Amino acid sequence: MFAQAQAFSGFSVDDLGEARRFYGETLGLPVEETGQGDMRVLSLTLGGGARVFVYPKETHTPATFTILNFPVDDIDTAVAELERRGVPLERYAEFEHDEKGVVRGGGDGPAAIAWFTDPAGNVLSVLQENREN
């Protein structure tokens, strides 16, 4: 029934203007703002054309899990660019991070991953897949 549906995901933020600047200017994603007044929303276009709906929520609580993963060819370059753009990485006690804030793994998961947050506190990541996957 839903196999052919053009499904999309969404998440909330506490400040739509800050989200527009972060996703559009800092991360460089195409961002479209639509609606009027209190009904304004953002549509982010991801690589491959997928879209994500971002809406303001007065009682927003940041997602404590990763809401968007950005696969990259070279995580060190991506992390350096995030740092250059003023985006700090998150460090979680349950993972062993290198000096850059990257968790390097292997096995069945990504070769490397680093987390950061948007201005609303939602968790995002850059990750480099294992070459064998």
Side-chain angles (χ1 to χ4, degrees):
M1 176 159 94
F2 295 112
Q4 300 304 315
Q6 296 292 315
F8 62 92
S9 183
F11 58 90
S12 71
V13 296
D14 54 358
D15 186 316
L16 206 60
E18 281 188 31
R20 182 179 59 255
R21 283 184 292 282
F22 179 77
Y23 287 100
E25 296 172 18
T26 304
L27 297 187
L29 297 175
V31 176
E32 181 181 345
E33 187 169 345
T34 59
Q36 296 180 0
D38 291 343
M39 298 302 292
R40 296 197 70 71
V41 297
L42 301 178
S43 178
L44 310 178
T45 302
L46 306 176
R51 298 189 86 156
V52 177
F53 181 71
V54 180
Y55 56 94
K57 184 175 179 188
E58 201 170 295
T59 58
H60 168 74
T61 300
T64 57
F65 51 89
T66 309
I67 62 167
L68 283 176
N69 295 286
F70 294 96
V72 296
D73 291 331
D74 183 339
I75 197 159
D76 295 312
T77 299
V79 165
E81 185 61 20
L82 286 170
E83 184 177 78
R84 187 184 75 72
R85 294 175 182 221
V87 180
L89 296 183
E90 296 294 308
R91 295 174 193 262
Y92 298 106
E94 60 267 29
F95 297 106
E96 203 172 304
H97 301 79
D98 67 14
E99 67 283 349
K100 296 178 183 180
V102 177
V103 175
R104 302 196 187 263
D108 294 334
I113 187 168
W115 293 275
F116 58 102
T117 60
D118 71 5
N122 295 310
V123 180
L124 313 170
S125 84
V126 288
L127 60 92
Q128 183 177 324
E129 298 287 352
N130 282 314
R131 300 281 185 230
E132 308 85 63
N133 290 347

